[in-house]
Amino acid sequence: MADIHAEKILILDFGSQTTQLIARRVREARVYCEIHPCTMPLERIKAFNPRGVILSGGPASVYAVDAPKVDPGVFELGAPVLGICYGMQIITHLLGGVVARGEKREYGPAKLSLRQAIGLFGELDQAQPVPVWMSHGDRIEQLPPGFQVLATSENSPVAAMGDPARRIYGVQFHPEVAHTPQGATMLASFVLGECRCQPIWTMHNFAEATIADFKARLGGKKVLCALSGGVDSSVVALLLHKAIGPDLHCIFVDNGLLRAGEVNEVSNVFREVFGVNLVVAKAAELFLSRLAGVVDPEQKRRIIGHTFIEVFEAEAKKIGKVDYLAQGTLYPDVIESVSFRGPSAVIKSHHNVGGLPEHMKMELVEPLRELFKDECREVGRELGLPETIVGRQPFPGPGLAIRIMGEVSGPKLATLRQADGIVLEEMRAAGLYDKVWQSFAVLVPVKTVGVMGDERTYEDVIALRVVDSVDAMTADWTRVPYQVLATISSRIINEVAGVNRVVLDISSKPPATIEWE
């Protein structure tokens, strides 16, 4: 079996907001890559043994006193180097060129005029202007020795440069963003052409390699997995099941706060279809009793988190001594913990509801820590998980409890669950479910006057929340077609008892959040 990490690219991060996009484009070319801070010591860079190095953009100016740098030894490794925006400027600065404040800043779309179709541009038509996305205030005043201009733009006499002999290149624009339409082609030309990487990073290869690794490392050991039915935990559970079979013990906590049909679906898929060793802990009454009278959102999250741990721990004790705990950590979580700018702000408690107590002494197994979310979904498809799970929209740990404003009760959950089910049904029917980040209903603690038949009503309000996002850090409300909205509204009012009004949330994040609590 081929070593899927043998052909790899190192991305050194200077604090750009789009560094993760560089990694995604490299992965799309089926080449493994990792992001590390630009401060990575040269010895560690050598030990990483990259086939190529990409220097990201960043917000600083290279001539500033505290500007981030990279060890110049990176240019002596013999591996090709590509600098993007700030990365290009740091190449210029360290190799004897001159970077200065530009007379005009260049932000937004620009047209690239190619001088030479080499390096990144080998697959492009030199006679045609190339649309790109710029975001810089500095520019190259003097090329480093050995470099030549590869492309220009209206405001950048050096929009791309290269030293083909040393295979060092720089571009002033951002090939990783969607606003540079041929950017993925350019990065693939660098990775597959200049770096001569083989495209072996596929999710089929990843699944095979991971299962083989777990068979060797975990055979005969007991592994515990908290299965939520979400994409990440489902993929983790199935990878481990295929590797160690009955030595994997999955616990699914039914907290009574899940969407319609989820408990039965997860139980059937994992028990009946795949034969996974799964315990379903029925704890809905316990969670509801603990939430009675609670209206503060943060207190709700704490109660749900603590109760989850209590129920999970009680079930885990029945299994006996366990050696490993499986966790669905994804690569963006890993990146955040080692980013150039330092660890990210504290994660909202409702995003991290399943933390386990320290006294449960187990080693962690994190099969997905090298994967982005879309790669995780693709692994799920490779393993045969149904699309209803693989394509599932993100769902918060506390579930419907933070989509009910105020106190959570059985009747309120029933109302919201039915309305939410209608939202999801109609989004799927319209072909929109897979095109948006999240779509769901919220039960608002406000009663409004309505008229049904010849009677006056005073009933509940349902809010619709549909957003587009890439990583949930920012989000914009989705412009759902009016007819789809009309159908959703009509069905909820006609089918859900106690609701006489449906409203649409048209706020973006920021300033609002995606969830209402």
Side-chain angles (χ1 to χ4, degrees):
M1 184 183 299
D3 180 1
I4 56 175
H5 300 99
E7 312 273 332
K8 56 191 175 185
I9 298 294
L10 173 63
I11 301 169
L12 294 177
D13 178 32
F14 289 87
S16 170
Q17 293 182 345
T18 59
T19 300
Q20 284 195 35
L21 289 179
I22 302 172
R24 292 174 72 88
R25 300 295 170 261
V26 173
R27 300 278 184 95
E28 286 167 8
R30 296 187 173 183
V31 174
Y32 181 68
C33 63
E34 288 184 15
I35 298 172
H36 288 273
C38 60
T39 51
M40 187 178 188
L42 185 61
E43 288 308 309
R44 283 187 55 208
I45 293 175
K46 289 178 179 178
F48 187 82
N49 193 28
R51 290 292 179 94
V53 178
I54 298 177
L55 310 180
S56 85
S61 292
V62 294
Y63 46 77
V65 175
D66 57 350
K69 301 284 195 301
V70 66
D71 192 310
V74 76
F75 304 116
E76 308 302 326
L77 297 174
V81 178
L82 168 64
I84 295 174
C85 200
Y86 183 89
M88 172 179 172
Q89 294 165 10
I90 201 68
I91 289 173
T92 303
H93 185 71
L94 294 176
L95 295 184
V98 177
V99 180
R101 174 67 65 186
E103 294 179 9
K104 290 183 178 179
R105 297 188 301 173
E106 197 170 21
Y107 292 95
K111 296 288 187 182
L112 211 63
S113 297
L114 298 185
R115 296 280 188 87
Q116 298 186 60
I118 61 174
L120 279 74
F121 308 129
E123 299 295 318
L124 304 184
D125 184 351
Q126 188 174 345
Q128 297 296 320
V130 179
V132 297
W133 188 262
M134 295 282 191
S135 181
H136 65 100
D138 294 340
R139 70 178 191 177
I140 310 303
E141 290 288 337
Q142 181 180 321
L143 289 170
F147 281 77
Q148 52 192 283
V149 176
L150 302 183
T152 63
S153 71
E154 184 178 350
N155 290 321
S156 292
V158 185
M161 66 181 193
D163 181 343
R166 286 193 287 172
R167 295 189 294 167
I168 302 175
Y169 300 91
V171 294
Q172 189 58 77
F173 58 91
H174 287 270
E176 71 273 22
V177 302
H179 302 296
T180 301
Q182 293 167 285
T185 300
M186 298 177 198
L187 287 170
S189 292
F190 176 73
V191 169
L192 302 175
E194 290 294 323
C195 301
R196 303 186 180 94
C197 290
Q198 297 300 310
I200 58 174
W201 177 257
T202 67
M203 292 307 96
H204 175 79
N205 290 345
F206 173 86
E208 281 195 342
T210 303
I211 291 168
D213 176 53
F214 284 162
K215 279 181 180 177
R217 286 199 298 126
L218 305 179
K221 304 286 187 180
K222 282 187 179 180
V223 181
L224 188 61
C225 175
L227 180 60
S228 69
V231 182
D232 306 342
S233 68
S234 295
V235 172
V236 166
L238 205 48
L239 275 171
L240 285 163
H241 172 71
K242 288 182 179 292
I244 61 174
D247 286 332
L248 172 68
H249 298 263
C250 292
I251 298 173
F252 178 37
V253 177
D254 176 9
N255 58 14
L257 306 172
L258 302 174
R259 290 168 288 196
E262 274 191 318
V263 177
N264 288 337
E265 181 188 18
V266 172
S267 177
N268 290 339
V269 166
F270 284 92
R271 279 178 172 165
E272 308 305 324
V273 177
F274 293 109
V276 172
N277 188 0
L278 172 64
V279 171
V280 178
K282 299 285 188 180
E285 290 186 9
L286 175 62
F287 277 84
L288 275 177
S289 67
R290 300 268 177 92
L291 290 168
V294 178
V295 297
D296 178 69
E298 201 59 33
Q299 191 179 354
K300 282 188 200 176
R301 297 184 191 116
R302 283 195 295 270
I303 289 170
I304 294 167
H306 293 157
T307 307
F308 172 89
I309 292 170
E310 183 182 322
V311 173
F312 186 90
E313 191 172 11
E315 291 296 334
K317 282 180 179 175
K318 298 175 186 177
I319 298 169
K321 184 179 183 302
V322 175
D323 302 289
Y324 293 91
L325 174 68
Q327 191 165 289
T329 307
L330 292 176
Y331 191 48
D333 303 319
V334 177
I335 296 169
E336 283 296 328
S337 68
V338 297
S339 71
F340 170 66
R341 291 171 171 273
S344 60
V346 176
I347 298 171
K348 289 181 184 176
S349 58
H350 77 264
H351 287 173
N352 191 27
V353 78
L356 294 176
E358 291 181 6
H359 63 81
M360 293 184 74
K361 300 295 184 185
M362 293 175 278
E363 289 187 54
L364 272 183
V365 176
E366 298 174 304
L368 310 179
R369 65 180 284 112
E370 295 176 338
L371 302 187
F372 287 103
K373 189 77 170 188
D374 56 322
E375 293 175 317
C376 173
R377 293 187 197 277
E378 193 56 40
V379 171
R381 294 185 180 100
E382 287 285 340
L383 297 173
L385 274 171
E387 198 62 32
T388 51
I389 289 179
V390 173
R392 181 167 288 176
Q393 293 176 356
F395 189 61
L400 299 179
I402 58 168
R403 293 176 180 174
I404 293 173
M405 305 297 97
E407 183 181 3
V408 178
S409 67
K412 288 181 179 179
L413 280 166
T415 297
L416 178 59
R417 194 173 281 122
Q418 188 180 0
D420 190 66
I422 290 170
V423 174
L424 299 181
E425 280 179 26
E426 293 301 329
M427 291 294 287
R428 286 192 173 99
L432 297 174
Y433 180 86
D434 297 322
K435 296 179 180 178
V436 302
W437 178 259
Q438 275 174 286
S439 50
F440 56 88
V442 177
L443 182 59
V444 183
V446 173
K447 292 191 179 293
T448 67
V449 174
V451 177
M452 289 187 175
D454 294 323
E455 294 185 359
R456 185 181 177 91
T457 61
Y458 192 57
E459 296 180 331
D460 292 325
V461 177
I462 288 288
L464 304 182
R465 184 68 161 143
V466 187
V467 296
D468 294 315
S469 182
V470 173
D471 54 13
M473 299 300 291
T474 61
D476 191 19
W477 64 278
T478 306
R479 276 60 170 175
V480 179
Y482 289 158
Q483 187 54 54
V484 178
L485 294 174
T487 302
I488 292 172
S489 176
S490 177
R491 282 196 61 194
I492 290 175
I493 291 171
N494 280 288
E495 298 175 28
V496 183
V499 175
N500 68 357
R501 192 178 300 272
V502 175
V503 298
L504 178 66
D505 181 347
I506 58 169
S507 44
S508 297
K509 177 185 179 180
T513 53
I514 294 176
E515 299 292 346
W516 276 40
E517 287 193 342

